[in-house]
Amino acid sequence: MTTPPAVPLFKVFMAPPAALMPRLEAVLYSGQISEGEPVAEFEQRFGDFVGNPHCLSFYSGTAALHIALLLAGVQPGDDVVSTAMTAEPTNLAIRHAGATPRWADVDPRNGNVTAQTIAAALTPRTRAILVVHYGGIPVPIEAILALAAQHGLPVIEDAAHALGARYNGRLLGSHSPFVMFSLQAIKHLTSVDGGMLTLADRELLPRGRRLRWFGIDRAASRTDVDVSEVGFKYHMNNVNATIGLTQLEHIAPMIARHVANGRYFDAAFDAIGVERCAFDAAADPSYWFYTLLSDDADGLARHLAAHGIASSKAHRRNDLHSVFADCRVALPGLDRFYARMLHIPCGWWVDDEARARIVETVRRGW
Ligand SMILES: *Cc1c(COP(=O)(O)O)cnc(C)c1O
C-alpha cells in the first residue's frame, strides 16, 4: 500500500464553512440558481481584483478561451500561434473555433513562448496569438504585444496559472485584448468550475454575453430576440458565482503565500546551486507550482517521492497528441524544457516546515 504524499502538488482551497455555507444555502433555495445577480456581482468583484472592469464569466476557462477566440475574429481554417507546453484546454479551444494551432517554441529556461519564437511561427493564415503564462511565470508580454501590433494580430492570454501574477508591476488581466482565468478546482481561485475573460474593448461585451448563452440577448424580451449567430451554453450560474464571490474574499492571503513560497525557493535553490526557472526582471510570477530543471528529472521525482513530496510534469506536451498530429514541427527549446522540468509544490498548503524540508531534501541530492 502506498501512502499519499505528505506534501501534495495541488490542493483545493475552499473558504471556511462559516463563511461559505450560509450563502450557499441561501442561493440554493432562492429559486434563482441560473444566471442572475450573483453572477453580475462576481464579474464586477473579479474585475476589481484584477483591475479590469470589462469582465465576462463562463462555466469553464475552456469556454472563456473559445469565446475569446471568436471575439478575436478567429474563423474555421485560420491559424492561431500557440504553445504545446500547456494543459490540453488551451489548444482544444483553438480546435473548437475550427482553427489550427501553430506551435511557437518555448524558452528552455522556463517553458514560455517569447516574441522571437512567436515571430518564427507566424503564417499567412495566422489570425491570433495565444500565450500561456506557464506555471504562473508571466511571458514577456510587452515584447509580444509589440510584435502582435506590427502584424495587426490580437493577443489572447491564457492566465489559468497566473491569477495574481504581474508584468511591469501591473496585475495580469489588462495587458492584452483578451485574458482568460480558469476557476477550475485546483487553480488559485476556484468556484468549483468556472472561467473569467477580461477584455480591453468594452464594445465586445454584448456579443460575448450573447455567445455564452445560445446567441440570445438575455435582457431582451424572449419573443422579440433574434438568434443571428450560433451561441453556446457557456454561462456561469448563481451557485458557482456565490462560491466564487466567497472565495474571492479569502484569496489574497492564499496567493500571497504561493508567492512567498516561490520567492523563498528562488533564493534557496540559487544558494545551493540547483537550477530553477529563470524569468525576466519585469515578471512577478504567481507560482501556481514551482519548477526545477534537471538532467535527471525522473531521479529527482523518485527521490522526492521517497521523502513524501509530490512532484510531476503535470502536463503532456500537446504536440504529442494525435489530435494535433498535423501540427507537428521541430521544437528544440520545448524538447529541452520538457525533458528537464519537474513541478514541485509551492502553494498555500506548503508551510514553513514543509518548504524547508523540500529544500533540504533537494540539497541532499538524487
Ligand atoms: C485549467 C486550465 C485551462 C482551463 O481550464 P478549465 O478547466 O476549462 O477552467 C486552460 N489552460 C490552462 C493552461 C489550464 O491549466
Side-chain angles (χ1 to χ4, degrees):
M1 207 185 93
T2 51
T3 46
V7 190
L9 186 54
F10 300 110
K11 192 163 176 172
V12 172
F13 170 73
M14 197 55 67
L20 179 58
M21 296 318 281
R23 290 167 77 172
L24 192 54
E25 183 169 348
V27 70
L28 281 171
Y29 295 96
S30 66
Q32 295 182 330
I33 55 175
S34 187
E35 187 197 323
E37 194 44 48
V39 173
E41 189 185 344
F42 187 31
E43 288 173 334
Q44 194 193 324
R45 296 273 168 90
F46 188 89
D48 291 346
F49 188 77
V50 298
N52 185 337
H54 314 313
C55 187
L56 290 171
S57 61
F58 295 87
Y59 81 63
S60 73
T62 312
L65 272 181
H66 182 190
I67 297 305
L69 288 155
L70 299 184
L71 293 176
V74 172
Q75 296 187 354
D78 288 343
D79 287 344
V80 175
V81 173
S82 184
T83 174
M85 190 60 263
T86 183
E88 286 76 4
T90 310
N91 293 309
L92 291 172
I94 295 172
R95 287 292 202 212
H96 295 164
T100 302
R102 297 293 171 199
W103 310 126
D105 202 2
V106 303
D107 183 338
R109 299 174 314 145
N110 55 33
N112 275 338
V113 297
T114 67
Q116 290 75 17
T117 65
I118 290 170
L122 294 171
T123 70
R125 285 192 301 195
T126 301
R127 193 62 171 258
I129 296 167
L130 204 176
V131 303
V132 177
H133 305 288
Y134 190 66
I137 296 177
V139 301
I141 192 67
E142 303 291 359
I144 290 170
L145 286 166
L147 172 83
Q150 276 166 28
H151 294 272
L153 293 169
V155 172
I156 301 165
E157 293 175 54
D158 176 336
H161 301 175
L163 181 65
R166 293 170 187 267
Y167 197 83
N168 273 340
R170 198 160 94 242
L171 280 172
L172 298 185
S174 58
H175 293 82
S176 303
F178 306 93
V179 187
M180 181 283 289
F181 297 90
S182 167
L183 311 177
Q184 185 266 341
I186 58 170
K187 303 298 160 65
H188 288 93
L189 175 83
T190 183
S191 57
V192 179
D193 254 321
M196 286 286 184
L197 180 65
T198 55
L199 305 172
D201 180 2
R202 67 192 305 268
E203 305 286 314
L204 294 175
L205 287 167
R207 183 166 170 235
R209 288 194 187 105
R210 284 198 305 275
L211 281 171
R212 76 180 174 189
W213 206 66
F214 306 121
I216 294 172
D217 176 359
R218 286 173 78 93
S221 145
R222 195 61 186 267
T223 48
D224 291 335
V225 292
D226 175 44
V227 175
S228 58
E229 181 176 25
V230 176
F232 303 85
K233 188 168 190 285
Y234 279 176
H235 70 289
M236 180 177 282
N237 64 56
N238 286 350
V239 179
N240 291 109
T242 298
I243 297 170
L245 274 166
T246 312
Q247 294 279 80
L248 200 51
E249 290 168 11
H250 294 82
I251 205 62
M254 299 301 137
I255 295 175
R257 183 67 195 185
H258 280 254
V259 171
N261 283 339
R263 291 190 179 149
Y264 171 90
F265 283 149
D266 285 343
F269 290 126
D270 288 354
I272 61 173
V274 170
E275 194 178 346
R276 46 96 177 178
C277 284
F279 45 85
D280 34 314
D284 286 315
S286 61
Y287 297 96
W288 185 49
F289 46 48
Y290 195 86
T291 306
L292 293 175
L293 300 168
S294 167
D295 291 336
D296 182 18
D298 291 345
L300 175 57
R302 281 191 299 272
H303 173 66
L304 290 169
H307 292 84
I309 300 158
S311 67
S312 92
K313 291 195 186 289
H315 304 102
R316 187 175 196 219
R317 51 184 282 184
N318 288 186
D319 57 331
L320 300 182
H321 290 300
S322 311
V323 77
F324 300 121
D326 55 329
C327 314
R328 280 197 194 142
V329 290
L331 299 167
L334 178 57
D335 293 343
R336 183 163 169 78
F337 179 75
Y338 192 68
R340 302 184 73 235
M341 61 93 151
L342 187 71
H343 306 313
I344 64 170
C346 182
W348 55 268
W349 60 94
V350 178
D351 61 15
D352 287 3
E353 184 277 326
R355 71 188 191 181
R357 189 155 54 83
I358 291 171
V359 172
E360 176 55 20
T361 306
V362 171
R363 189 193 62 77
R364 285 203 300 271
W366 59 95

